[in-house]
Amino acid sequence: PQLAATTPRLQAESAILSRMQLRELASYVPEAAGMRNWILKYQMSRDGASLSTLLHRLEASPDTEGPERRHSYLSCLIVIEDTWGYVFGGYIDGPMRRAASYYGNGKCFVFRSRPRLEIFRWTGKNELLVLSNDDMLAMGGGGRGFAFQLDNELDTGVSNASETYGNAQLSSSEFFHCLNLEVWTFEEPSLLL
């Protein structure tokens, strides 16, 4: 079921998805996120192909320390395009972070947008929702493997059916090359610079 019928307020244009495709995808993110400004926090064609750079751009402001250290965004959307034009990704309900183990909650989901939009929500079978560290970015696990996983250079990846999301393979083939990647964050208007 769709959660929010909203027109995303985009701070930039996507190089992967049209406004119509983003609008359709926005209808599946929780309303609290979908009603905020969509900020293109990371774009591989603009920022370079590096997982370290991606994670750095999504980290909390360095001028806040300890328990007060907060992110300016509530959640994020990962959009991947492989070399065969397949577009897929995932929604993370909460900030993306460097972590030694899986994190996330039941609002996270993965999707495939071409040839038609398909949303795969958390099945409750395991808690292998999101894993991001200096070596990989992945969502899902169990079953045949990750829903999707990218290496630290954001160049090659793998996609399989996962127990976490009950998804089919999302990419053009099990092993794929990443052509472009974007990470959108959902932020309050007052937090824009």
Side-chain angles (χ1 to χ4, degrees):
Q2 295 182 351
L3 296 178
T6 183
T7 300
R9 293 186 301 251
L10 304 177
Q11 158 270 343
E13 292 296 320
S14 173
I16 302 174
L17 295 172
S18 69
R19 281 188 173 262
M20 179 68 82
Q21 290 169 315
L22 282 169
R23 171 187 249 171
E24 187 180 13
L25 196 50
S27 68
Y28 289 93
V29 302
E31 189 173 5
M35 298 301 288
R36 288 177 160 63
N37 287 321
W38 289 41
I39 308 302
L40 185 56
K41 197 70 106 177
Y42 174 86
Q43 186 175 51
M44 187 163 52
S45 60
R46 177 190 71 197
D47 302 315
S50 165
L51 180 56
S52 178
T53 299
L54 184 157
L55 292 171
H56 178 74
R57 292 189 60 85
L58 291 165
E59 287 175 341
S61 173
D63 58 346
T64 54
E65 300 292 330
E68 291 88 45
R69 189 173 169 90
R70 306 184 1 216
H71 292 81
S72 62
Y73 63 96
L74 297 179
S75 54
C76 60
L77 183 74
I78 302 163
V79 182
I80 302 164
E81 180 181 19
D82 73 16
T83 52
W84 288 97
Y86 278 60
V87 175
F88 55 95
Y91 169 78
I92 301 173
D93 189 60
M96 188 187 303
R97 61 181 188 263
R98 294 173 207 265
S101 60
Y102 279 91
Y103 62 93
N105 62 46
K107 292 180 183 176
C108 296
F109 64 81
V110 295
F111 68 91
R112 174 176 41 204
S113 80
R114 289 186 194 143
R116 65 183 174 82
L117 182 61
E118 294 179 79
I119 303 294
F120 302 95
R121 297 198 180 277
W122 181 52
T123 63
K125 292 182 179 177
N126 63 41
E127 295 187 9
L128 307 175
L129 296 154
V130 182
L131 181 61
S132 53
N133 55 46
D134 290 326
D135 297 320
M136 76 169 71
L137 168 59
M139 290 187 74
R144 292 188 46 218
F146 300 111
F148 71 83
Q149 179 263 329
L150 287 166
D151 68 4
N152 63 353
E153 294 177 351
L154 304 177
D155 175 41
T156 58
V158 63
S159 175
N160 286 295
S162 77
E163 280 186 355
T164 310
Y165 297 106
N167 60 285
Q169 179 181 294
L170 303 174
S171 57
S172 58
S173 61
E174 178 181 7
F175 299 98
F176 65 88
H177 288 281
C178 182
L179 178 65
N180 204 353
L181 183 143
E182 295 176 345
V183 179
W184 294 83
T185 59
F186 306 104
E187 304 187 17
E188 291 283 7
S190 62
L191 296 173
L192 295 176
L193 300 176

